[in-house]
């Protein structure tokens, strides 16, 4: 009891010393220690999340401030120079807006209050629409967008969230694929599941990094991700969406050869 009273958020590494006896007090001490371990993990995750969020927002704010200060110091700015400063400021503002929106999504998900509306969703329609979006995203880099099999597949899900999941994967595929590469999207119905694959011929992900890419704010190449506008939250959100639909998301990748993300969702019973 004395030990438990002095344990706070600042010393969650402390534990109650159990005598190793399997009686009521020994089991109670073990339960307390397990609870403290869970609290320690939760506090650590919150601290890391806050630190990462602050870091992500600090960079665009620093750039924005620098651009505006430079513009104010210049006494003879031309209209073109002013336009460039405003364009840069707008770009950084949009980047911060995207980060904040993703943070709000993850916060609502953690609290269990995210708006999720489950209804009948035909995945083929969503995939076809996103394939058209992918062509637009890929046009600037002259990336070829292909479609593989597109089976009919009915799931019980939130159409908006599922579209967000797949758009995140497609956006990643285009970002990390060099010019004149390829991106392929397919939808296959397999017994009780629908399997969506988003493949690219991009830079790939090292094997030792693949287990971490769904962690919040984790990015394999931080400098390149910043250059491409990534915030390190897209894959975390994609995994959360797959989870709430009772599905999974996995990755297969080889550096220099490309990456494939595989989303598996349970079919609605009537569609089996």
């Amino acid at each position: 009891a004395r030990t438990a009273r002095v344990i706070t958020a600042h010393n969650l590494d402390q534990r109650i010393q159990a005598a190793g006896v399997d009686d009521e007090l020994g089991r109670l001490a073990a339960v307390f220690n397990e609870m403290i371990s869970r609290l320690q993990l939760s506090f650590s995750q919150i601290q890391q999340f806050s630190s990462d969020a602050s870091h992500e927002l600090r960079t665009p704010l620093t750039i924005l401030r620098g651009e505006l200060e430079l513009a104010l110091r210049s006494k003879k700015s031309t209209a073109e120079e002013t336009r460039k400063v405003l364009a840069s400021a707008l770009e950084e503002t949009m980047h911060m807006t995207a980060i904040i929106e993703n943070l709000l999504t993850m916060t609502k998900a953690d609290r269990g209050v995210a708006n999720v509306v489950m209804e009948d969703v035909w995945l083929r329609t969503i995939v076809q629409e996103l394939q058209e979006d992918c062509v637009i995203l890929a046009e600037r880099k002259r990336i070829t967008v292909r479609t593989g099999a597109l089976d009919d597949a009915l799931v019980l899900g939130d159409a908006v969230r599922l579209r967000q999941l797949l758009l995140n994967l497609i956006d990643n595929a285009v970002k990390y694929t060099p010019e004149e590469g390829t991106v392929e999207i397919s939808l296959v119905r397999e017994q009780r599941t629908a399997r969506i694959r988003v493949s690219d011929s991009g830079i790939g992900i090292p094997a030792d990094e693949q287990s971490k890419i769904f962690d919040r704010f984790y990015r394999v190449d931080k400098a390149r991700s910043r250059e491409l506008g990534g915030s390190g939250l897209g894959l975390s959100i994609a995994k959360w969406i797959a989870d709430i639909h009772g599905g999974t998301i996995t990755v297969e990748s080889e550096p220099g050869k490309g990456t494939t993300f595989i989303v598996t969702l349970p079919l609605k019973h009537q569609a089996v």
Side-chain angles (χ1 to χ4, degrees):
R2 283 195 301 271
T3 304
R5 286 193 187 101
V6 300
I7 294 177
T8 68
H10 302 292
N11 60 348
L12 285 170
D13 56 335
Q14 290 195 29
R15 296 291 182 271
I16 298 170
Q17 295 300 318
V21 180
D22 187 18
D23 57 12
E24 290 182 5
L25 288 178
R27 289 191 291 271
L28 183 61
V31 170
F32 266 112
N33 285 337
E34 290 172 5
M35 180 185 68
I36 295 167
S37 294
R38 291 194 298 272
L39 286 172
Q40 184 180 18
L41 177 60
S42 296
F43 270 79
S44 175
Q45 289 174 334
I46 290 171
Q47 290 169 348
Q48 185 64 47
F49 186 75
S50 300
S51 174
D52 289 340
S54 299
H55 176 76
E56 289 296 326
L57 291 171
R58 186 184 300 118
T59 301
L61 278 171
T62 301
I63 295 172
L64 182 59
R65 178 178 176 178
E67 293 277 11
L68 295 176
E69 287 178 345
L70 181 62
L72 287 172
R73 286 198 300 268
S74 178
K75 297 180 180 179
K76 297 182 180 180
S77 296
T78 64
E80 179 62 21
E81 289 172 341
T82 301
R83 191 195 68 78
K84 288 181 179 179
V85 170
L86 291 175
S88 177
L90 177 60
E91 182 180 347
E92 295 304 325
T93 302
M94 292 172 65
H95 183 60
M96 284 189 292
T97 299
I99 292 172
I100 291 169
E101 287 177 351
N102 285 336
L103 285 171
L104 288 173
T105 296
M106 297 309 297
T107 300
K108 289 179 180 178
D110 289 343
R111 292 169 54 203
V113 297
N115 186 29
V116 179
V117 180
M118 294 296 192
E119 57 187 1
D120 287 356
V121 178
W122 287 98
L123 290 177
R124 181 174 179 175
T125 302
I126 293 179
V127 172
Q128 286 175 325
E129 291 174 353
L130 287 173
Q131 186 269 340
E132 295 170 5
D133 293 342
C134 184
V135 170
I136 296 172
L137 291 171
E139 185 176 10
R140 183 177 59 85
K141 296 173 70 176
R142 301 187 299 277
I143 292 173
T144 301
V145 179
R146 298 197 299 245
T147 53
L150 291 178
D151 295 345
D152 285 324
L154 178 65
V155 301
L156 186 64
D158 186 314
V160 174
R161 296 295 185 186
L162 289 172
R163 191 179 191 282
Q164 182 183 15
L165 185 165
L166 296 177
L167 185 57
N168 282 352
L169 298 183
I170 289 170
D171 186 49
N172 261 17
V174 173
K175 280 179 181 176
Y176 295 103
T177 297
E179 291 190 1
E180 300 183 356
T182 60
V183 172
E184 181 171 315
I185 311 166
S186 65
L187 166 62
V188 177
R189 180 174 159 175
E190 299 177 346
Q191 296 182 343
R192 298 179 181 274
T193 61
R195 189 178 296 265
I196 304 169
R197 299 172 67 92
V198 178
S199 303
D200 64 60
S201 61
I203 60 177
I205 305 169
D208 59 343
E209 305 273 4
Q210 293 177 20
S211 63
K212 307 171 188 175
I213 59 173
F214 297 105
D215 295 345
R216 297 176 189 183
F217 293 111
Y218 188 84
R219 291 175 295 189
V220 177
D221 186 339
K222 292 179 173 56
R224 184 170 173 79
S225 295
R226 167 66 193 170
E227 174 190 337
L228 296 172
S231 67
L233 287 170
L235 290 179
S236 298
I237 292 173
K239 184 179 185 305
W240 165 67
I241 295 172
D243 289 343
I244 63 175
H245 285 82
T248 61
I249 178 170
T250 56
V251 63
E252 298 174 353
S253 185
E254 187 174 343
K257 293 189 176 181
T259 300
T260 298
F261 282 96
I262 305 162
V263 179
T264 303
L265 298 168
L267 292 170
K268 189 174 179 183
H269 179 67
Q270 292 93 317
V272 175

